[in-house]
Amino acid sequence: MNHALDRRPSKILVVDDRKENLFAMEKILRTLPCEVHTAYSGNEALSLTLRHDFALILLDVNMPEMDGFELAELLRSHEATQRIPIIFVTAINTEDKSVFKGYESGAVDYLFKPVDVDILLSKVKVFLELDRKKKELESIQSELERSNRSLTEFAQVVSHDLKNPLHVITGLSELLLLKYADGLGERGRASIEQIAASAQRMDRLITDLLSFAQVNALSTVYGLVDLNEVLHDVVSDLSSRLEQTGGTVERLDELPRLEADRTQMYQLFQNLLANSIKYHDKRRPPRILIGTIRLASPDVCCFYVEDNGIGMEEKELSVIFNPFTRLSNAQGFEGAGLGLATVRQIVQQHQGSIDVTSEPGVGTRFKLAFPVAQEAAGA
Ligand SMILES: Nc1ncnc2c1ncn2[C@@H]1O[C@H](COP(=O)(O)OP(=O)(O)OP(=O)(O)O)[C@@H](O)[C@H]1O
Ligand SMILES: [Mg+2]
């Protein structure tokens, strides 16, 4: 990946009230690939931390006015400086590390005076390496965010540009059928109907591709979502297909309320239920059951979507969440193989999990789990 890595040298701040100590320390550190800054007092150090992004502060503990611990306390209390690693440099020559207890939460180390050059260099190198890794991660993340944004924009533009001519094809086909049906003859009419149906299929495919591409986009909008309401909307939008097949949807108990993206939760149920209707067994109308599963762990909420459809072969189950995957049972049914891939992306986006069990001729059950942190308190 070609990400713009921040290659500027890491900066280190050395704080000591004694000139000769600063001088000696600076001389040693100059041998490393870093920029060394110095401060004679806590106040000077504070003002430098506001102007520079330090990878590490080497901090003399024993200073007049503000000692090293007081300065560290102040640095930890400010958002901008609280994560700067600190190495305390102290004359306390004791094995008792309790002095440093209060600082265990942040990245902290210590060095005893007189400072051993090798130990100093090896400790500093560790922090420089950490800083390099942190910068690398930051640049990868911003590059990923940028490419995600441009991919989404690209998908939107492409889908818009592809749909326009399709709408012209559909419109003109309808016009031809409406105005010139008589002159077209039986075969002509059938051909035009086929053109219109193909255009509609392509329109659906573009919509599905777009929603698959958009799940990972940065536009996820989290809010309190009542899954019972979402399910209700999905069922009512699928009502004509349910009527055609004589299908029923039963919610056996209350679904959780989640901190989630509502549109994505709608897509999740829409895809699962549409599959249950589409892959129903011709010998019986589709019966879809939705219920919750009580788990021993209070940190996870779990529910399932179960149908009595044609089912899937055990050996094929491992691939169904891959994009553009359709199983042998899908012959004769329309689809792009994107529904479950979209569902899996949505689940991952919400830090959840999904698994499936199925038996040919009996039916399929999708089990979904989301961390309770996602579940609204008091729901
Ligand atoms: N409830 C189900 N019962 C039986 N088979 C299923 C069920 N759900 C999915 N499948 C199988 O898994 C495959 C992948 O499902 P998916 O929803 O991703 O794609 P699709 O339904 O074929 O197309 P699309 O959802 O993009 O319109 C399906 O083609 C089908 O073979
Ligand atoms: Mg599907």
Side-chain angles (χ1 to χ4, degrees):
M1 191 186 299
N2 180 25
H3 47 90
L5 187 57
D6 184 355
R7 295 198 185 281
R8 283 171 300 177
S10 302
K11 295 177 183 177
I12 296 181
L13 176 63
V14 188
V15 191
D16 200 309
D17 59 315
R18 298 173 68 140
K19 225 179 192 156
E20 62 275 21
N21 287 350
L22 276 184
F23 187 71
M25 203 70 110
E26 201 180 351
K27 205 169 152 210
I28 300 166
L29 295 174
R30 287 241 181 269
T31 59
L32 296 174
C34 63
E35 208 176 286
V36 185
H37 294 245
T38 53
Y40 291 102
S41 68
N43 281 326
E44 195 187 344
L46 274 180
S47 78
L48 280 173
T49 57
L50 295 179
R51 277 181 281 137
H52 299 274
D53 183 16
F54 289 112
L56 173 67
I57 301 179
L58 277 155
L59 185 51
D60 182 29
V61 171
N62 194 9
M63 291 189 295
E65 290 169 39
M66 188 193 297
D67 73 20
F69 292 137
E70 286 170 322
L71 174 58
E73 208 80 69
L74 276 173
L75 291 168
R76 289 282 182 263
S77 64
H78 285 97
E79 172 71 29
T81 54
Q82 66 186 186
R83 269 173 285 276
I84 307 176
I86 296 173
I87 296 181
F88 290 108
V89 185
T90 173
I92 307 168
N93 197 2
T94 167
E95 283 301 296
D96 178 14
K97 293 166 188 167
S98 62
V99 198
F100 305 99
K101 276 267 157 63
Y103 303 96
E104 269 169 5
S105 52
V108 160
D109 206 340
Y110 47 87
L111 273 170
F112 294 123
K113 287 180 184 175
V115 171
D116 179 304
V117 174
D118 290 334
I119 297 179
L120 167 69
L121 285 176
S122 70
K123 288 196 182 215
V124 171
K125 272 183 198 162
V126 170
F127 283 103
L128 288 179
E129 182 60 16
L130 264 179
D131 189 58
R132 200 184 59 79
K133 287 259 173 357
K134 191 186 98 191
K135 282 183 182 151
E136 210 170 286
L137 270 180
E138 280 168 357
S139 84
I140 290 173
Q141 183 173 351
S142 68
E143 174 60 22
L144 273 178
E145 284 170 5
R146 195 200 57 74
S147 77
N148 232 343
R149 262 195 308 275
S150 63
L151 259 179
T152 314
E153 278 165 22
F154 172 75
Q156 273 164 348
V157 170
V158 168
S159 92
H160 181 261
D161 289 0
L162 285 176
K163 278 192 171 201
N164 267 348
L166 272 183
H167 292 161
V168 176
I169 294 173
T170 319
L172 287 179
S173 310
E174 277 166 15
L175 193 77
L176 273 174
L177 284 174
L178 203 73
K179 290 208 162 170
Y180 308 100
D182 292 343
L184 287 169
E186 192 69 27
R187 278 194 64 188
R189 277 197 299 275
S191 298
I192 291 189
E193 272 160 11
Q194 231 174 337
I195 290 172
S198 291
Q200 260 166 25
R201 256 205 315 280
M202 188 153 172
D203 190 274
R204 259 200 313 279
L205 178 61
I206 293 169
T207 308
D208 290 350
L209 266 173
L210 190 62
S211 54
F212 174 67
Q214 275 182 331
V215 174
N216 269 344
L218 301 169
S219 54
T220 314
V221 187
Y222 286 94
L224 186 58
V225 178
D226 186 337
L227 293 186
N228 302 289
E229 286 173 13
V230 176
L231 178 65
H232 178 270
D233 291 354
V234 171
V235 172
S236 92
D237 291 346
L238 288 172
S239 60
S240 70
R241 269 193 261 174
L242 283 166
E243 266 167 41
Q244 283 161 13
T245 53
T248 52
V249 180
E250 266 176 77
R251 181 173 56 98
L252 301 176
D253 41 28
E254 278 281 301
L255 294 176
R257 286 203 286 171
L258 296 181
E259 190 64 23
D261 182 304
R262 196 179 201 283
T263 312
Q264 292 189 7
M265 285 297 139
Y266 178 95
Q267 283 178 298
L268 182 143
F269 279 111
Q270 204 279 339
N271 277 305
L272 292 179
L273 266 57
N275 280 349
S276 290
I277 301 171
K278 177 160 58 169
Y279 302 110
H280 81 270
D281 195 321
K282 295 282 176 295
R283 295 170 298 183
R284 51 185 182 258
R287 180 158 187 251
I288 304 166
L289 301 178
I290 294 146
T292 56
I293 301 168
R294 301 251 164 263
L295 295 179
S297 162
D299 303 333
V300 183
C301 62
C302 189
F303 57 93
Y304 63 87
V305 177
E306 185 183 295
D307 65 47
N308 60 345
I310 56 176
M312 295 173 261
E313 296 284 349
E314 169 99 43
K315 61 178 189 313
E316 289 188 299
L317 290 180
S318 60
V319 293
I320 57 168
F321 295 105
N322 296 342
F324 306 109
T325 300
R326 311 202 68 216
L327 306 184
S328 47
N329 67 2
Q331 271 173 19
F333 297 97
E334 255 190 34
L338 278 172
L340 290 180
T342 309
V343 167
R344 181 174 63 176
Q345 285 211 48
I346 293 171
V347 170
Q348 284 171 349
Q349 188 89 344
H350 290 79
Q351 280 84 47
S353 64
I354 181 165
D355 56 57
V356 58
T357 46
S358 189
E359 202 182 324
V362 177
T364 302
R365 176 191 256 231
F366 286 93
K367 199 173 85 184
L368 296 106
F370 291 95
V372 158
Q374 304 281 338
E375 195 180 17

